[in-house]
Amino acid sequence: MESNKDEALKCLSIAQKHRNAGNLPSAQRFCQKSLNLFSTPEATKLLAVVEAELASGPSSSSSSSASTSSATGSGAGFSTSTETHPSSSSTRHRHTESSAKANGSATNGSAKSGSGAEEKKREYTNEQAAVVKRIRSCKVTEYYEILSLKRDCEEADIKKAYRKLALSLHPDKNGAPGADEAFKMVSKAFQVLSDSQKRAAYDQHGSDPEQRGSGMPSFSRGSPGFAPGPFANGFDGEISPEELFNMFFGGGGLGGGGPRFSASFGPGGFRTQNIRTNFQQRRNAAPENNQPRSVFIQLLPILLLLGITLLNALPSLFTSAPTPDPRFSFTPTSRYNVERSTNGLGVKYHVNGAEFSSHPIAAELARNEQQPGPELRRYENTIERVYTQDLYVQCQRGADRKERMKNEEVGMFGIGTDWDKVRRIDAEPVKSCEELRRLGLLK
């Protein structure tokens, strides 16, 4: 896109500065980033030169840097106008020479600093070199290809692939040329694919979800307050590939729970440091100390529930069960042989004489000289409520029946309607409705 051209030119300028400083892996990475943003002939040419220097070793690095620098500077005019990348200070670079062994299975790499001082040799096998070559042949955003995974892979497959490649490419184990960059590419691929939001954005747009314009929400691209997972921080910002490695393997590096390997990436390659810590022992001892407290906290909701249930049951333990109200009927039968009327609406109801006389309501009437007390009023209010609710239901049914009869007689347009019959239907009384009107509950 034309809008990315300025960013692409900046990346190309940074790549040229890394190459002039002798940091060929970083120069190659920024060249590839420049081509991903906006393809230019200068970036293509510089990338070819850098890859040729990486393949040929340190001999051609110094001889061709000046010519390529002048070519890119004249073509784009940005080599002196852009800002200096932070990683270009305190430059140290490392090149690897290969010498065949007797069995042909392993080679030794010798690293040289900018001043020519020799550093500790780093060994690697042909298999490790092949892994590095395969990963370096992938584009920086081909995360599935870097981890050798299919797009429909599961999370367990992603972790398994990262575990295998990280152990193979770790700086303590692999000294092949370009292993550092391959290790960073693997770490970047795992950071994106292990996060569900970043993986969804990558599957949709096919670009780095942490770059602007990639379709990823801004809070998901490395914002510390909204990091959705342990591997969701920025690749070049808050978490380094080595920190990711330590997080994934439990903070122990390649040496178990004691020493911890740490590293920083830059133009000088890896700068390693081993830190002795007893964090693993403290972490293993913490669950034993907290176990009694955690068990109590887990049982606390159950204990509270039992306590509340016991408190609710306490009143019923010290009081007798209430006596049910006497049964009643609105029609007289041989069982319900005593007629009574409510004191409110005057609704007639019938009760069983023997049952009513033995109920506390009868004793209340006797104490009050046949005057209604609170228990009798509550009992008769229940009777009136049942009676009026039944009347309301029957009245509604009668009104609906009359309406259906009228609609059937009138028809769609009222042609040939017997209007006298319609008036008779309207005048037909509904007993339940009339009873409600008598009680003053319906107008």
Side-chain angles (χ1 to χ4, degrees), residues 174-196:
N174 193 335
D180 302 349
E181 290 298 322
F183 183 62
K184 288 192 280 186
M185 292 172 67
V186 169
S187 300
K188 175 65 174 178
F190 177 68
Q191 289 185 64
V192 173
L193 299 184
S194 62
D195 185 272
S196 57

Side-chain angles (χ1 to χ4, degrees), residues 316-334:
S316 61
L317 296 177
F318 301 102
T319 58
S320 58
T323 305
D325 291 337
R327 288 167 289 185
F328 63 90
S329 174
F330 295 114
T331 57
T333 62
S334 59

Side-chain angles (χ1 to χ4, degrees), residues 8-36 42-54 61 64-65 68-69 72 78 85 87-88 91-95 136 140 178 180-181 184 265-269:
L9 295 179
K10 288 182 180 181
C11 291
L12 184 58
S13 176
I14 295 172
Q16 178 60 46
K17 292 179 180 180
H18 278 299
R19 178 177 175 273
N20 293 339
N23 187 6
L24 296 180
S26 296
Q28 183 186 34
R29 179 163 63 92
F30 278 98
C31 285
Q32 292 173 344
K33 187 174 183 180
S34 176
L35 290 174
N36 290 336
E42 294 80 5
T44 304
K45 181 178 179 181
L46 182 59
L47 178 61
V49 172
V50 171
E51 290 179 345
E53 292 175 356
L54 283 172
S61 174
S64 60
S65 60
T68 307
S69 175
T72 56
F78 51 77
H85 194 267
S87 62
S88 63
T91 302
R92 295 189 306 166
H93 62 89
R94 179 185 67 253
H95 301 288
R136 294 294 303 280
V140 292
D180 302 349
E181 290 298 322
K184 288 192 280 186
F265 298 92

Side-chain angles (χ1 to χ4, degrees), residues 250-311:
L254 294 176
R260 176 180 179 273
F261 178 90
S262 64
S264 60
F265 298 92
F270 278 90
R271 292 187 294 274
T272 63
Q273 182 181 8
N274 287 330
I275 304 174
R276 179 70 62 175
T277 176
N278 59 350
F279 172 75
Q280 190 73 22
Q281 290 80 353
R282 293 197 305 269
R283 186 174 63 179
N284 294 335
E288 298 179 0
N289 298 332
N290 296 333
Q291 185 174 5
R293 182 178 179 182
S294 62
V295 171
F296 175 75
I297 293 176
Q298 291 176 0
L299 294 177
L300 184 60
I302 300 177
L303 296 177
L304 290 176
L305 182 61
L306 292 176
I308 294 173
T309 304
L310 181 61
L311 290 176

Side-chain angles (χ1 to χ4, degrees), residues 168-179:
S168 176
L169 297 171
H170 194 275
D172 280 358
K173 296 294 183 180
N174 193 335

